[in-house]
């Protein structure tokens, strides 16, 4: 009954490949309801740009600015109706890749530096890290766009420590040999994972 699009305010002003911008615009154009997320953590000018983007691309959509967790009943309320969606266009070819290492990475700053070395077409990275300066427990990694979030995870206990990363991106940025070389340069020899595959 309705199309709900979530727009990450913190990521909305980032420089992105044109294919990603086109995808964002198509998702906004088809929305009956737009939910602005992470706005409470955004500078005022970033939030204003996100509001202006929605007003320009989806002027008929309802808008909710999320503060904390919105009740599902509000976000999924079908009374918003549905906006007509234009002709379908080809989706950008998204690809996923993963790798695992049993060598500890040096530190969080080195991991951040490694992530900055990735091309802009890699849209999402997540995984667990084994860090030499935090050897007793895993560190949980989430990267969306250029924003990186890390949090302590549970202790390794009897599990063999490892680093395991999964990346999702545009096909042009997901060359398996280049990603494998990047991973081994920053995280040690690759012992598992899978080559790039289309989603």
């Amino acid at each position: 009954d309705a199309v709900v699009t979530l727009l990450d305010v913190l990521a909305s002003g980032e420089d992105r490949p044109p294919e990603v911008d086109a995808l964002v615009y198509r998702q906004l154009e088809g929305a009956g309801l737009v939910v602005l997320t992470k706005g409470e953590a955004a500078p005022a000018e970033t939030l204003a740009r996100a509001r202006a983007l929605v007003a320009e691309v989806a002027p008929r959509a309802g808008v909710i600015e999320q503060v904390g967790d919105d009740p599902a009943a509000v976000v999924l309320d079908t009374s918003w109706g549905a906006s007509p969606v234009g002709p379908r266009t080809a989706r950008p070819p998204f690809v996923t890749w993963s790798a695992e290492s049993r060598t500890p990475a040096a530190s969080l700053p080195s991991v951040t530096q490694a992530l900055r070395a990735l091309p802009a077409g890699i849209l999402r990275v997540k995984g667990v890290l084994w860090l030499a300066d935090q050897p007793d427990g895993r560190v949980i990694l989430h990267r969306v766009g250029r924003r990186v979030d890390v949090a302590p995870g549970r202790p390794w206990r009897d599990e063999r420590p490892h680093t395991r990363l999964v990346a999702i991106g545009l096909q042009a940025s997901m060359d398996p040999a280049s990603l494998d070389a990047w991973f081994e340069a920053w995280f040690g020899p690759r012992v598992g994972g899978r080559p790039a595959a289309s989603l």
Side-chain angles (χ1 to χ4, degrees):
D1 293 324
V3 175
V4 180
T5 297
L6 304 179
L7 179 64
D8 181 333
V9 171
L10 291 175
S12 64
E14 292 181 348
D15 290 330
R16 294 178 298 254
E19 301 93 336
V20 177
D21 272 338
L23 178 62
V24 170
Y25 274 63
R26 284 201 304 275
Q27 289 181 344
L28 287 173
E29 286 169 349
L33 171 65
V34 177
V35 181
L36 300 179
T37 66
K38 301 186 180 70
E40 68 272 17
E45 61 272 15
T46 303
L47 181 55
R49 278 198 304 271
R51 288 173 179 153
L53 175 64
V54 174
E56 174 191 347
V57 180
R60 293 183 294 170
V63 179
I64 293 177
E65 294 190 17
Q66 178 183 6
V67 178
D69 294 327
D70 284 317
V74 174
V75 176
L76 300 178
D77 181 358
T78 58
S79 66
W80 292 96
S83 295
V85 180
R88 294 187 179 271
T89 55
R91 291 176 52 208
F94 292 107
V95 173
T96 182
W97 165 94
S98 68
E100 182 175 330
S101 168
R102 297 195 180 120
T103 303
S107 63
L108 278 178
S110 74
V111 170
T112 301
Q113 190 176 356
L115 294 172
R116 286 190 183 129
L118 289 171
I122 295 181
L123 310 174
R124 181 89 164 84
V125 180
K126 63 181 181 175
V128 296
L129 303 170
W130 178 25
L131 301 177
D133 61 352
Q134 300 180 46
D136 296 330
R138 70 195 71 217
V139 173
I140 308 301
L141 166 73
H142 293 280
R143 173 188 179 261
V144 180
R146 294 295 181 185
R147 189 177 68 251
V148 177
D149 295 314
V150 293
R154 57 187 166 82
W156 295 111
R157 293 196 177 97
D158 295 333
E159 185 178 357
R160 184 172 185 176
H162 60 274
T163 290
R164 183 181 300 127
L165 298 180
V166 178
I168 299 172
L170 298 169
Q171 190 169 14
S173 299
M174 300 287 285
D175 174 62
S178 298
L179 287 172
D180 289 348
W182 166 84
F183 183 83
E184 295 203 350
W186 291 98
F187 300 99
R190 176 181 172 159
V191 297
R194 63 184 180 192
S198 296
L199 291 178

